Amino acid sequence: MKVNRLGFRDYRNLKENELIPGPQVNVICGDNAQGKTNLLEAVWLFTGGRSFRGARDQELIAFSSQAGAVLALDFEAEEREQTAKITIGRGAKKRAAQLNGVDQPAASSLIGKFCAVVFSPDHLSLVKEGPSMRRKFLDAALCQRKPAYARLLSQYSRTLAQRNTLLKDISYHSELLETLEIWDEKLSGLGAAITIERKRYLERLSEAAGEIYDGISQGRERFAVRYDSGLLRDGGEEAGYRERLFSLLQNGRKEDLNAGFTTKGPHRDDLLVTVQEKSAREYGSQGQQRSCVLALKLAEAALLAEALGEKPVILLDDVMSELDASRQDYLLNKIQGWQVFITCCDPNSISGLSQGRTFYVENGEIRG
Ligand SMILES: Nc1ncnc2c1ncn2[C@@H]1O[C@H](COP(=O)(O)OP(=O)(O)O)[C@@H](O)[C@H]1O
Ligand SMILES: [Mg+2]
């Protein structure tokens, strides 16, 4: 997968222009607050997801624009040249997308058409914060690999919300208790399927990320990531997950009714990231935590490449800080052969890269 051209108008602070990247590494340099991350974010939107900064669509439109933002992408995927267009309107007009000239039912229809993996400093929360970020990471990675997983996940979320509403209603209408079993059954089927997908993906991710971390730390530290799920705690066959989740839900009824929400299931699961068998969250240094997230992200890219049969584009925002010279060296080495967009303040920090194109961003203007 390769970006040949990114065009933008009224997108954040970027002046109307286009970026013609090279097929390999593209370094985007500039001082703080000039528009470097905005550029990566614009490329990222073509994956069909939300901004990786968690921004709402309205925030993406240039302050000065009445009409709204327009982005255009020429890219290569599935061995052909394709074009995509995204428009974000003011007010009720939502984000809309076109692919190869055809209007798409939703911006999310681009999922799986153009694929990228992004590292941003916000992703350090993957190691530093609570489980919801880790579940999001896992789910987002799986959604890009398999659109069917995205459907599964949204069915699960809807069923979960319905069960939670029912749990609250039962305290006023005890006769509704009988209907809970239907939701338990539905939720355990969907939940078991999610657990199986996540577990299989994580086994492979752990292996790939372990190898990358080994390279980053030059064999000095051992990395692992494990799926921490109530359903898997005592092992058991995948075929039995549905029954196990069903009995977890049934046995947890009293707790659920007291809490007013569902306390068991894959929406409560976590990933356990360790360095030298110790929790990276609790004991890792800044550099180790950053290395963990990088290893996870690069492993995500490698597995996505396997699934797609082509390499996704890699977006690395402010990746170099807090890494020592040997870790930086490895990283630059590892990403050769991929199309990469990498932002930095100081071009010297990536002098280890022999080939590639450099762009300078100043106050939303891009110079090649
Ligand atoms: N909707 C918007 N319209 C105009 N400018 C914006 C908008 N959103 C953010 N900006 C500006 O973009 C700049 C930040 O760009 P960013 O790409 O995050 O910087 P950096 O180069 O440090 O990565 C800030 O100056 C901010 O005010
Ligand atoms: Mg930035």
Side-chain angles (χ1 to χ4, degrees), residues 1 78-79 301-312:
M1 209 141 310
E78 296 174 7
E79 293 174 356
L303 295 189
L304 187 56
E306 249 178 59
L308 295 171
E310 57 187 323
K311 291 175 173 167

Side-chain angles (χ1 to χ4, degrees), residues 12-13 31-38 53 59 61-63:
R12 295 238 197 220
N13 75 331
D31 290 340
N32 291 333
Q34 299 305 306
K36 304 181 298 295
T37 305
N38 293 346
R53 289 197 270 199
E59 296 164 26
I61 304 171
F63 299 141

Side-chain angles (χ1 to χ4, degrees), residues 111-112 115 139-153 193 196-198 200-201 304 307-308:
I111 292 176
C115 296
D139 289 336
L142 274 160
C143 285
Q144 273 210 89
R145 279 167 68 93
K146 267 191 183 179
Y149 183 82
R151 287 193 290 277
L152 183 63
L153 201 60
I196 290 170
E197 293 288 345
R198 285 180 176 174
R200 288 184 187 163
Y201 179 69
L304 187 56
L308 295 171

Side-chain angles (χ1 to χ4, degrees), residues 285-305:
S285 71
Q286 301 272 15
Q288 282 174 323
Q289 291 183 338
R290 187 169 273 255
S291 304
C292 287
V293 177
L294 270 168
L296 286 168
K297 287 283 170 179
L298 294 178
E300 179 194 352
L303 295 189
L304 187 56

Side-chain angles (χ1 to χ4, degrees), residues 214-228:
D214 197 51
I216 297 179
S217 71
Q218 299 187 312
R220 283 194 289 260
E221 295 163 8
R222 234 180 1 269
F223 164 98
V225 56
R226 199 159 50 71
Y227 190 26
D228 184 16

